[in-house]
């Protein structure tokens, strides 16, 4: 007897016969990278919200930046941007290395990425201390500090993630070509921070 | 043999031993079991519901007479602010998504747990601190500028309380985002092999739409609150016109979350109702795909209509026209759902138990709220009744008549599954009658009050409104009393109620294919998807000779090879 509502090709038993994907009786399935990406969608929406606020302030203001805002130096932020973009390629080299089971090389590339991130932050701090406007000078200054500061916080967190990966990589066999969630997560996060900065840089400095 | 008997026995397997509720202390600890977390959410948020309800009772007591004679005006402002904040962020959102979402999703899709059980527990354990933080602000003068916290009012109205309010909402919002990540990954990646998206129960479709909505909208509220806290604490002027800022930007950011939030608060209940009505009407759901896709449509449209809350905020006419039309378009997917539910129960063998009563109450009360929503979407009407009691009436018809009735329906329907005990139906029906009477007595008069021009958020009012306000206050007291039979019934039944069988409602979704309450990791043996989730009333008797479960199983196994 056939039960009409069952599509034979879709029953659980058939599936298992065909695919042997019996994850149900195995360890908890690993969807962490997908989870990180979904989480970064939310994270990205915070930045999008802040960008939208910035653009609205700007659209409504008669002059932007408001009159009396000192000129900004473009050289240092330009170099900083180049360093951050370059670091995205460096961290990817680390990811490639671990996929080839080369943990020593992973360590090198991740260390370089962390240093580049630290240089970026140092440049940011240097810029803050030499700017001629403060948090409360005017609306442009406030948005500038809050946006770059909020992004800087993310860079900080990214560096911590990378250092965490470095620390764990010291343990023999922690990362391998099969098992490298931490490496991938740090990389995805770092790319995210990088892309946000590109938009931020265009909004605050160029446009 | 009917199909139902097959499914029942086949999935329970030979493991006859049922799960005893286990150690009650697990509900107070850091458990990673999604069922424990779901119940933790439901119980915690229900406690906050009672606190928020007490605040509402205080507000209604103040409004029983036209004079401000019960509490001080400042305290009154704090009461309605914290009442709304609790009801939204600590009751309806976490109970609907966190509570039922956590409890039901893995069971309905045949998974052992959520994708990230630890993250799940972390998300829950942000709720109690968030709530306690919010309540503690009463010691320093709680926020009193309404749950919307519009600047510049919120910037000059008691700094400490406002800052605690921001922290608390940020914490609760984070919890909600982490929950949504979990739901989305679980629903997309952990369904039983063979369960496509179109074999999911409709609650899962609703939760898919809700999770997407939470992920996209909640972070923007976080952005707004970060800027608001800078204004509040650091003295910047993002939203402060005296420093060159623009308060309307806050309103845009706030409503970009808070309008979708009303769908975050109603879509899970839409899903639950779609699962409850067919079971107790013994009929297949009408228009499965229509209901499933209309959830997605609502969640998309919900993202692009936020400025209808801002028709009086200097929004340009062309923009108001866009938001008016977009808002009215939402009535289409919502109407599709309502008519599908009506078609589902039409001609069914209705079992009028508490779950079904609340389910039908949900549909009828929600329709009233939906209709006043269409009135409010129309710009000329909205300008007339903006910030009046008409808005209060509308929002309570959708959030109480809709969401809370839906939550009660869900609680009665899944109570046997969660606790392994049956609730007392008589007291459940009394609870329903009291709730329905109290609710309508409280909120129906508010429509008239609003149309006559009584503003919301005031402690004293024109004496000509006194009669209807007194009626609303009496309704509020009946509502307060109505929770008593529910609480006693729930607690008593949980401890001493008659034991529930695995599937007391003879339902077809997977959560009923395991013991009540389900064991850790949910299923005694891997569940088999025998039927669609709503194949009720399909009779297979004419299909030929009857076969036993063993024969059927053998047949399937032969097919598998």
């Amino acid at each position: 007897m056939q039960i009409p509502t069952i599509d034979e090709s879709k029953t659980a038993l058939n599936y298992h016969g065909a695919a042997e994907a019996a994850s149900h009786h195995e360890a908890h399935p690993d969807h962490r990278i997908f989870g990180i990406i979904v989480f970064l969608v939310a994270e990205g929406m915070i930045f999008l919200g802040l960008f939208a606020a910035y653009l609205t302030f700007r659209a409504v203001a008669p002059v932007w930046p408001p009159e009396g805002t000192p000129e900004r130096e473009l050289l240092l932020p330009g170099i900083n941007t180049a360093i951050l973009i370059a670091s995205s390629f460096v961290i990817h080299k680390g990811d490639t290395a671990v996929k080839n089971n080369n943990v020593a090389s992973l360590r090198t590339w991740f260390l370089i990425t962390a240093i580049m991130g630290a240089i970026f932050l140092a440049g940011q701090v240097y810029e803050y201390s030499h700017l001629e406007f403060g948090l409360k000078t005017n609306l442009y200054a406030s948005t500038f500090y809050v946006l770059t500061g909020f992004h800087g916080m993310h860079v900080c967190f990214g560096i911590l993630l990378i250092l965490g990966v470095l620390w764990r990589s010291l343990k023999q066999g922690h990362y391998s070509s099969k098992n490298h969630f931490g490496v991938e997560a740090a990389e995805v996060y770092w790319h995210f921070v990088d892309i946000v900065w590109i938009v931020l840089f265009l909004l605050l400095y160029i446009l | 043999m009917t199909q139902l008997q097959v499914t029942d026995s086949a999935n329970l397997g030979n493991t006859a031993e049922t799960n005893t509720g286990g150690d009650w202390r697990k509900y107070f600890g850091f458990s990673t079991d999604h069922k424990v977390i779901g119940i933790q959410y439901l119980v915690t948020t229900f406690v906050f519901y009672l606190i928020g309800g007490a605040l509402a009772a205080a507000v209604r007591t103040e409004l029983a007479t036209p004079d401000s004679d019960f509490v001080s005006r400042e305290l009154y402002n704090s009461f309605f602010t914290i009442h709304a904040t609790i009801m939204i962020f600590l009751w309806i959102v976490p109970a609907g998504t966190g509570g039922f979402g956590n409890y039901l999703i893995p069971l309905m899709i045949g998974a052992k747990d959520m994708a990230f059980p630890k993250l799940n527990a972390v998300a829950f354990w942000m709720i109690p601190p968030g709530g306690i933080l919010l309540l503690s602000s009463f010691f320093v003068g709680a926020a009193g500028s309404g749950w919307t916290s519009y600047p510049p009012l919120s910037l000059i109205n008691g700094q400490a309380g406002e800052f605690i309010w921001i922290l608390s909402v940020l914490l609760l919002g984070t919890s909600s985002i982490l929950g949504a990540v979990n739901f989305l990954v679980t629903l997309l990646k952990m369904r039983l092999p063979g369960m496509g998206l179109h074999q999911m129960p409709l609650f899962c479709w609703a939760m898919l739409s809700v999770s997407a909505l939470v992920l996209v909208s909640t972070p923007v509220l976080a952005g707004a609150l970060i800027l608001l806290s800078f204004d509040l604490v650091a003295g910047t002027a993002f939203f402060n016109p005296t420093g060159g800022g623009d308060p309307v930007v806050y309103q845009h950011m706030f409503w970009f979350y808070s309008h979708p939030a009303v769908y975050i608060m109603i879509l899970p209940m839409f899903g639950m109702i779609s699962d409850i009505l067919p079971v107790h009407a013994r009929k297949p759901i009408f228009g499965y795909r229509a209901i499933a896709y209309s959830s997605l449509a609502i969640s998309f449209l919900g993202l692009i209509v936020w400025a209808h809350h801002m028709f009086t905020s200097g929004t340009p006419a062309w923009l108001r026209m866009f938001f008016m039309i977009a808002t009215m378009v939402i009535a289409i997917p919502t109407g599709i759902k309502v008519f599908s539910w009506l078609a589902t129960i039409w001609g069914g063998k209705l079992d009028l138990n508490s779950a079904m009563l609340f389910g039908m109450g949900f549909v009828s009360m929600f329709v009233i709220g939906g209709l006043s929503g269409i009135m409010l979407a129309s710009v000329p009407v909205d300008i007339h009744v903006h910030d009046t009691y008409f808005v209060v009436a509308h929002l309570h018809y959708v959030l109480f008549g809709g969401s809370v009735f839906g939550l009660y329906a869900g609680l009665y329907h899944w109570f046997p599954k969660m606790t392994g005990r049956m609730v007392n139906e008589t007291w459940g029906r009394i609870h329903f009658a009291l709730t329905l009477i109290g609710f309508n007595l409280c909120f129906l008069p508010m429509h008239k009050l609003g149309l006559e021009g009584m503003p919301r958020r005031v402690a004293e009012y024109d004496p000509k409104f006194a009669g209807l306000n007194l009626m609303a206050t009496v309704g509020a007291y009946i509502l307060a009393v109505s929770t008593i039979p529910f609480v006693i019934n729930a607690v008593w039944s949980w401890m001493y109620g008659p034991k529930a069988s695995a599937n007391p409602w003879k339902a077809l979704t997977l959560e009923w294919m395991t013991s009540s309450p389900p064991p850790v990791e949910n299923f005694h043996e891997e569940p088999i998807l025998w039927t669609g989730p709503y194949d009720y009333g399909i009779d297979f008797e004419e299909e030929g000779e009857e076969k036993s479960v063993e024969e059927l199983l053998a047949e399937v196994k032969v097919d598998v090879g």
Side-chain angles (χ1 to χ4, degrees):
Chain A
M1 186 191 90
Q2 285 284 324
I3 294 175
T5 44
I6 298 182
D7 177 350
E8 281 294 330
S9 66
K10 283 179 180 168
T11 55
L13 281 172
N14 198 354
Y15 181 92
H16 279 275
E20 287 183 77
S23 64
H24 268 266
H25 289 296
E26 320 253 301
H28 195 80
D30 185 356
H31 298 300
R32 287 177 294 180
I33 281 292
F34 185 54
I36 294 275
I37 292 168
V38 172
F39 177 72
L40 287 180
V41 170
E43 201 68 13
M45 281 308 294
I46 301 192
F47 280 104
L48 271 184
L50 293 175
F51 293 160
Y54 172 81
L55 287 172
T56 318
F57 288 138
R58 184 179 169 139
V60 172
V63 196
W64 193 265
E67 275 184 59
T69 311
E71 272 301 304
R72 286 144 302 140
E73 182 70 49
L74 259 182
L75 182 66
L76 176 68
I79 296 171
N80 242 351
T81 306
I83 291 175
L84 200 64
I85 293 175
S87 71
S88 248
F89 293 94
V90 175
I91 200 170
H92 187 67
K93 295 285 267 183
D95 183 62
T96 316
V98 79
K99 280 174 181 157
N100 291 323
N101 249 337
N102 189 346
V103 177
S105 167
L106 159 76
R107 257 178 244 147
T108 318
W109 292 118
F110 264 57
L111 189 63
I112 297 175
T113 314
I115 292 171
M116 290 169 99
I119 294 174
F120 173 87
L121 278 183
Q124 197 81 293
V125 171
Y126 179 86
E127 196 193 356
Y128 279 4
S129 58
H130 286 72
L131 279 176
E132 286 163 36
F133 51 79
L135 178 65
K136 291 197 275 181
T137 305
N138 59 33
L139 198 54
Y140 171 79
S142 305
T143 43
F144 174 86
Y145 277 108
V146 169
L147 280 173
T148 53
F150 194 57
H151 175 265
M153 217 172 80
H154 282 74
V155 177
C156 256
F157 188 67
I159 293 174
L160 287 178
L161 281 182
I162 291 169
L163 292 178
V165 170
L166 280 173
W167 174 254
R168 285 183 163 189
S169 73
L170 294 176
K171 209 168 85 188
Q172 194 63 41
H174 190 87
Y175 293 119
S176 65
S177 59
K178 288 257 159 56
N179 192 2
H180 49 258
F181 162 72
V183 177
E184 273 191 332
E187 191 200 351
V188 169
Y189 188 81
W190 195 254
H191 290 325
F192 168 76
V193 168
D194 200 2
I195 292 166
V196 168
W197 175 257
I198 294 172
V199 181
L200 201 58
F201 181 73
L202 289 176
L203 282 181
L204 288 176
Y205 292 89
I206 306 292
L207 296 176
Chain B
M1 171 178 284
T2 67
Q3 185 186 12
L4 195 59
Q5 283 163 297
V6 176
T7 42
D8 247 19
S9 40
N11 279 321
L12 274 178
N14 298 322
T15 33
E17 90 274 16
T18 48
N19 180 283
T20 56
D23 191 354
W24 57 271
R25 272 167 298 195
K26 71 187 173 194
Y27 292 108
F28 292 88
F30 189 85
S31 172
T32 54
D33 182 345
H34 74 96
K35 298 181 291 299
V36 175
I37 295 175
I39 292 172
Q40 283 176 326
Y41 264 111
L42 287 174
V43 174
T44 312
T45 54
F46 192 83
V47 170
F48 282 115
Y49 172 53
L50 294 180
I51 297 172
L55 290 171
V59 165
R60 278 318 315 175
T61 308
E62 172 65 73
L63 292 173
T65 58
D67 296 324
S68 171
D69 45 13
F70 178 59
V71 287
S72 74
R73 293 179 180 85
E74 289 73 25
L75 196 57
Y76 174 83
N77 289 347
S78 295
F79 275 2
F80 72 70
T81 301
I82 303 298
H83 157 72
T85 311
I86 286 181
M87 290 308 197
I88 292 165
F89 293 104
L90 285 159
W91 161 234
I92 294 179
V93 171
T97 59
F100 283 104
N102 267 311
Y103 194 90
L104 293 176
I105 286 175
L107 282 166
M108 281 182 165
I109 62 173
K112 283 181 170 182
D113 208 310
M114 300 288 284
F116 311 114
K118 269 186 201 153
L119 186 72
N120 204 10
V122 169
F124 166 73
W125 280 107
M126 287 177 166
I127 300 280
I132 293 166
L133 194 64
L134 184 68
L135 289 174
S136 72
S137 70
F138 272 110
F139 292 111
V140 293
S145 33
W147 81 282
T148 49
S149 269
Y150 274 5
L153 178 64
S154 55
L155 298 174
I156 54 174
N157 210 355
Q159 212 186 18
E162 189 62 36
F163 189 61
I164 292 177
W165 182 88
I166 291 175
L167 284 182
S168 166
V169 172
L170 281 176
L171 196 61
L172 298 169
T174 311
S175 156
S176 168
I177 292 172
L178 296 180
V181 171
N182 228 331
F183 295 139
L184 209 62
V185 176
T186 309
L187 282 168
L188 291 179
K189 296 282 186 185
M190 298 194 30
R191 293 190 309 276
L192 187 71
M195 183 188 271
L197 284 172
H198 290 105
Q199 279 82 49
M200 290 197 304
L202 286 162
F203 178 71
C204 297
W205 275 98
M207 286 307 295
L208 203 59
S209 318
V210 170
S211 308
L213 215 46
V214 169
L215 276 177
V216 175
S217 65
T218 315
V220 178
L221 176 70
L225 293 181
I226 289 168
L227 295 182
L228 186 67
S229 58
F230 268 98
D231 276 6
L232 195 67
V233 177
T236 53
F238 292 112
F239 305 133
N240 195 344
T242 53
D246 189 352
V248 176
V249 175
Y250 174 84
Q251 297 186 13
H252 276 294
M253 293 177 85
F254 178 83
W255 286 113
F256 185 81
Y257 164 74
S258 295
H259 190 73
V262 310
Y263 300 109
I264 295 169
M265 290 185 269
I266 197 71
L267 276 171
M269 291 65 176
F270 282 176
M272 292 195 285
I273 294 302
S274 310
D275 273 319
I276 292 169
L277 294 184
V279 175
H280 300 290
R282 311 310 306 163
K283 272 187 67 192
I285 189 86
F286 182 90
Y288 173 90
R289 290 197 182 210
I291 294 182
Y293 296 159
S294 62
S295 290
L296 295 179
I298 288 175
S299 112
F300 170 73
L301 289 171
L303 282 171
I304 55 166
V305 296
W306 73 90
H308 66 217
H309 295 270
M310 300 164 58
F311 284 155
T312 57
S313 303
T315 311
W318 62 271
L319 202 58
R320 292 202 296 212
M321 196 55 96
F322 167 79
F323 280 108
M324 173 172 112
I325 293 167
T327 306
M328 289 184 169
V329 168
I330 295 190
I332 296 170
T334 316
I336 288 175
K337 279 181 191 292
V338 171
F339 283 113
S340 298
W341 292 326
L342 293 182
T344 301
I345 57 176
W346 186 265
K349 291 182 204 162
L350 302 196
D351 181 6
L352 290 178
N353 52 29
S354 315
M356 187 63 173
L357 285 174
F358 270 106
M360 289 161 68
F362 168 93
V363 177
S364 38
M365 292 302 107
F366 178 80
V367 165
I368 298 177
L371 291 177
S372 58
I374 296 173
M375 292 170 75
L376 284 168
S378 143
V379 176
V381 179
D382 182 76
I383 289 173
H384 179 65
V385 296
H386 184 80
D387 261 346
T388 67
Y389 262 81
F390 192 80
V391 177
V392 178
H394 160 71
L395 76 91
H396 282 96
Y397 264 88
V398 285
L399 284 189
F400 197 115
S403 304
V404 177
F405 274 57
L407 284 170
Y408 276 135
L411 285 171
Y412 280 110
H413 182 72
W414 281 289
F415 191 90
K417 183 50 63 183
M418 291 179 179
T419 62
R421 309 261 184 183
M422 302 300 290
V423 280
N424 182 311
E425 283 298 332
T426 311
W427 282 105
R429 288 185 184 128
I430 292 171
H431 172 216
F432 171 73
L434 281 175
T435 310
L436 190 72
I437 294 166
F439 169 75
N440 280 300
L441 203 56
C442 183
F443 297 110
L444 201 58
M446 290 184 187
H447 289 106
K448 190 166 190 307
L449 284 172
L451 290 173
E452 285 175 0
M454 177 172 162
R456 66 192 286 206
R457 293 175 172 161
V458 289
E460 47 198 273
Y461 51 86
D462 194 311
K464 72 176 175 181
F465 300 127
L468 287 175
N469 267 297
L470 189 62
M471 190 171 150
T473 301
V474 171
Y477 289 159
I478 296 178
L479 266 187
V481 171
S482 77
T483 52
I484 295 171
F486 173 73
V487 173
I488 294 175
N489 190 1
V491 172
W492 189 87
S493 303
W494 199 338
M495 292 194 295
Y496 310 111
K499 291 263 190 217
S501 65
N503 191 356
W505 311 127
K506 297 280 170 266
L508 289 177
T509 38
L510 278 179
E511 78 269 26
W512 300 102
M513 305 301 159
T514 180
S515 57
S516 301
V520 174
E521 304 206 319
N522 297 343
F523 296 97
H524 296 285
E525 50 185 56
E526 193 166 328
I528 299 167
L529 207 57
W530 284 93
T531 69
Y534 304 108
D535 296 344
Y536 297 104
I538 299 171
D539 197 355
F540 296 102
E541 298 250 23
E542 68 275 20
E543 287 286 322
E545 82 281 23
E546 290 191 7
K547 287 186 180 182
S548 71
V549 178
E550 285 71 25
E551 281 174 305
L552 280 169
L553 263 177
E555 207 170 81
V556 176
K557 274 174 184 154
V558 166
D559 285 350
V560 170

